[in-house]
Amino acid sequence: EELRACKIGGCCGKDTPLLPADAVSARLSAIPQWKLSDDGRSISREFVAKHWKSAMSFLNRVSEIAESEGHHPDLHLTGWRNVRVELST
């Protein structure tokens, strides 16, 4: 519930301190399909779209949300339909 209510709205930046490892671990259980990076600095999730057009549509929808939240993930599209979203603070 905490994660659903979270609105970043531009309050995070390069000087925002990282969450402690135990706080990250506690929150990961709420988003089981997301993976923590080896260095503990980002989370990512992979999706497989039906085809190129749906992958691009998904990326465009993510970009609209990211812009409204003021928090921009790294978006990756490979193999014409494999999408990875990577979030960090």
Side-chain angles (χ1 to χ4, degrees), residues 42-63:
S42 66
I43 59 171
S44 65
R45 182 170 171 189
E46 296 180 356
F47 303 86
V48 178
K50 185 175 181 179
H51 44 62
W52 170 266
K53 186 176 179 180
S54 62
M56 291 305 298
S57 177
F58 174 78
L59 291 174
N60 286 325
R61 288 192 315 266
V62 169
S63 71

Side-chain angles (χ1 to χ4, degrees), residues 52-84:
W52 170 266
K53 186 176 179 180
S54 62
M56 291 305 298
S57 177
F58 174 78
L59 291 174
N60 286 325
R61 288 192 315 266
V62 169
S63 71
E64 290 173 14
I65 294 167
E67 189 64 23
S68 70
E69 292 287 324
H71 192 73
H72 302 90
D74 290 336
L75 302 174
H76 307 269
L77 174 61
T78 57
W80 64 270
R81 66 182 199 140
N82 301 307
V83 175
R84 183 168 50 95

Side-chain angles (χ1 to χ4, degrees), residues 9-61:
C11 66
C12 293
K14 66 179 180 166
D15 297 324
T16 302
L18 296 174
L19 284 174
D22 59 334
V24 171
S25 295
R27 287 164 173 81
L28 277 176
S29 64
I31 50 171
Q33 295 175 324
W34 289 78
K35 296 179 183 174
L36 184 63
S37 64
D38 290 339
D39 65 4
R41 299 180 65 86
S42 66
I43 59 171
S44 65
R45 182 170 171 189
E46 296 180 356
F47 303 86
V48 178
K50 185 175 181 179
H51 44 62
W52 170 266
K53 186 176 179 180
S54 62
M56 291 305 298
S57 177
F58 174 78
L59 291 174
N60 286 325
R61 288 192 315 266

